[in-house]
Structures are given as C-alpha cells and as structure tokens.
Amino acid sequence: MDIKIGTRGSNLALAQANYVLERLKQNFPENDYEIVVIKTTGDLDQHRPLDAIGSKGIFTDEIEDALLNGRIQLAVHSMKDMPDTLKDGLTFADPWDREDARDVLILNHYKSLKDLPRGANVATGSKRRSYQLLKLRPDINIYPIRGNIDTRIRKLREGLADGTKLDGIVIAAAGLKRIGLAHEISEYFTVDDMIPAPAQGTLAIELKSDNYELLDMVNSLSDSKIKDITFLERGFLKKIGGDCHLPIGAYASATDEGYELRALFGTEDGSKLAHTKQFAAEASEELIDRAVADIMQQLEK
C-alpha cells in the first residue's frame, strides 16, 4: 500500500507526521510512506487573530480536501485544532497516545507567574488561556500572538512588531516536548489553574471513512483509555457548542474509580467563566451531560 501522509509544514506538524509515519513503518513495514506538506489558510494568514479569520477549519480545510480527492491517504493534525464535526466522507482513527496536556509559561527574566511584576506583558493567542491567566494574575497585561512555536518564542525574545516587549508567553507543553524544546519551559500550570483545550496533546489521524483497510491498520495501534478521555473532552466541546470565539477547556483523566472531567466555558468577553469537575465510573454521555448542565446553570445566574 502507498500511504501519503498530509500535514502542515511547521516543525511541530512535521514532527507529529513523522512520528505517525515511523510508528506505522515499524508495525507495517510492507507499505510505502511519504510526507506531503500542505499549506492551510491559517498558515497563510499569520497576522489576524484566529477568531477574526473564522472557524478552526482554517488549519484543516485544505488538508481535508486533499484526503477527499485522494492526493493523500492520511492526515495528521493536533486534535485541539479540529472542528467538532468532520466533513462528509472523513473520519478519525482511534487516538494512540497523548503527550503532556498542560499549558506552560515561557518567561524571559523570571522563574514563575508569581515572580512577574505588576503590569508584566504576557502573550497568548487563546481566549481560554487569557481569561484563566487573568483569574490568576489580574494585574498583568495580555497581548495577542500568532505563529508557530519558533515564531512565538522569537517574538518573546525580540518583542512584538509594534515594539511591545514581552515578559512571557503561554503555550502548550505538548508541542514544546514534541520538538525537543522542553528546556524552554519556565513553569507548568496545573490543570486546576488552567484547564487545557479539549484533546490538547492528542494527535488526530484523519482518513476517508470508506478506507477500511487503512482504518483497521491505524486503529490497531490505539489506546483504549486515551480513546475514552478524548471522547469525554471532544464530547464536551460538541455539546457545549464551543468555537474559537469562546473560551472553552476540557480535561479528562482516568482514576482508580473511573473517570474525572474538568471543564471550562465562558462568554466571549470573559465576563462570565464557569468551571466544573464531574466524576463517573465510565466515560459516558451522562458524564458529559452533567458537566454541560452544571456549566450552563452557573452561566444563567
């Protein structure tokens, strides 16, 4: 079988795609594999904030079109960038493993969030991160930032285009670890202080839904607990109706008694931000429904 794997062209995207390629090659060496780099709308427009461009599909549309027309057979994405509904004819393989889901701080001259002086400048491209950060430190300034990991670190070191000097940036631990930059991390946020994006740290392996042979092959490498965790986090995203205009977070974990789901949802301007933590013996729709109901009840007050 000839398997072309589509991906964006950043260091992180290529690292993720090559990880999938090597796992497949190791387990199914009889196939031929190739990486195909595809530019997306999100890659081409690096200036406007994400919520000003459109939906999360800005990082996936062109890659999904390549899947549908047969130019590629697999696509590798960060699951957190994926819309909650796929295009007709496409499906996700069951997820494999998960890298560190936490958010982290990278700081220029300080060691931790509490060390930052009043009025410090911290950048992030995410409303979810912005509003949770301001709950922890309402006295700092938040600036928007775009670009891949290398670009964001460069902006931290050199400053923004308007001359603003930054003290720190908030970014996902998973991406830094996947490209060997864990040493840049100044501080990890706990999942209680900053609930991650749904499925942060998990790879999305996408393919045509009628490609049964390839789907079976990829699913054979999946992890049942990660599948359950992804189901809970993505299920919350879909049921709450979140998009890139709203702050939304979800973090599920397996416990000795079953599953725990932390979730966050709020208004676009951050004036209301609701949190919940729910437990259940199984990763079920009922657990998701309880989390959504608790969030909505809080926001209605």
Side-chain angles (χ1 to χ4, degrees):
M1 194 186 306
D2 185 16
I3 302 172
K4 291 183 170 63
I5 301 173
T7 177
R8 297 165 64 198
S10 70
N11 286 343
L12 175 58
L14 289 170
Q16 293 177 167
N18 276 294
Y19 169 73
V20 170
L21 184 152
E22 292 301 325
R23 284 283 306 274
L24 290 173
K25 184 186 289 186
Q26 181 181 10
N27 288 273
F28 305 98
E30 67 276 12
N31 299 314
D32 293 320
Y33 302 94
E34 178 186 347
I35 299 291
V36 177
V37 175
I38 298 171
K39 285 192 177 294
T40 68
T41 301
D43 298 313
L44 296 172
D45 188 339
Q46 289 287 317
H47 302 292
R48 289 185 294 163
L50 294 180
D51 59 349
I53 303 174
S55 72
K56 287 187 176 181
I58 62 171
F59 292 119
T60 59
D61 283 346
E62 290 81 359
I63 296 175
E64 290 183 326
D65 289 343
L67 275 174
L68 290 169
N69 65 32
R71 182 183 167 199
I72 59 174
Q73 286 69 52
L74 277 182
V76 181
H77 317 271
S78 295
M79 183 68 87
K80 69 180 180 64
D81 291 333
M82 299 305 293
D84 58 28
T85 303
L86 292 180
K87 290 182 179 179
D88 289 343
L90 298 178
T91 190
F92 288 132
D94 294 339
W96 291 357
D97 46 15
R98 185 182 202 177
E99 185 50 273
D100 193 330
R102 291 173 294 177
D103 288 302
V104 300
L105 264 177
I106 302 179
L107 300 171
N108 264 336
H109 307 296
Y110 302 92
K111 292 183 178 180
S112 68
L113 182 66
K114 66 179 178 59
D115 293 333
L116 288 175
R118 293 178 61 87
N121 298 329
V122 179
T124 171
S126 160
K127 288 183 176 179
R128 172 188 62 81
R129 289 172 177 152
S130 296
Y131 299 151
Q132 291 187 97
L133 192 60
L134 287 172
K135 289 286 185 182
L136 298 170
R137 283 293 304 267
D139 60 322
I140 64 175
N141 303 310
I142 305 292
Y143 287 84
I145 194 170
R146 285 286 314 279
N148 59 40
I149 292 173
D150 297 315
T151 299
R152 294 185 190 210
I153 292 176
R154 177 178 54 78
K155 290 178 178 179
L156 170 63
R157 306 304 185 210
E158 300 176 2
L160 301 178
D162 64 2
T164 300
K165 296 298 182 183
L166 295 176
D167 295 291
I169 57 174
V170 184
I171 201 164
L176 291 164
K177 291 186 173 184
R178 284 195 173 112
I179 62 173
L181 292 180
H183 61 276
E184 294 279 5
I185 297 170
S186 303
E187 181 180 13
Y188 289 85
F189 289 102
T190 69
V191 293
D192 285 316
D193 282 341
M194 188 168 291
I195 297 175
Q200 185 160 295
T202 302
L203 297 183
I205 303 175
E206 189 179 20
L207 64 163
K208 289 181 73 173
S209 50
D210 61 1
N211 195 343
Y212 304 114
E213 181 181 2
L214 185 54
L215 182 59
D216 287 345
M217 197 170 78
V218 178
N219 281 348
S220 71
L221 303 178
S222 68
D223 180 284
S224 60
K225 275 200 167 54
I226 301 302
K227 182 179 178 181
D228 286 343
I229 285 168
T230 305
F231 164 76
L232 291 172
E233 294 175 9
R234 295 274 297 173
F236 177 81
L237 172 66
K238 188 167 186 174
K239 287 204 171 184
I240 203 75
D243 60 29
C244 61
H245 298 277
L246 300 169
I248 178 169
Y251 179 79
S253 56
T255 70
D256 292 339
E257 292 77 30
Y259 288 88
E260 177 182 277
L261 176 61
R262 293 173 173 85
L264 158 84
F265 188 71
T267 55
E268 185 173 351
D269 63 0
S271 58
K272 287 187 176 182
L273 211 58
H275 298 76
T276 189
K277 186 189 293 186
Q278 302 290 331
F279 305 87
E282 297 179 354
S284 63
E285 291 279 353
E286 189 267 342
L287 176 53
I288 297 169
D289 289 341
R290 278 197 281 118
V292 171
D294 187 30
I295 290 281
M296 299 311 294
Q297 186 177 33
Q298 292 178 54
L299 293 178
E300 288 167 3
K301 291 179 179 177

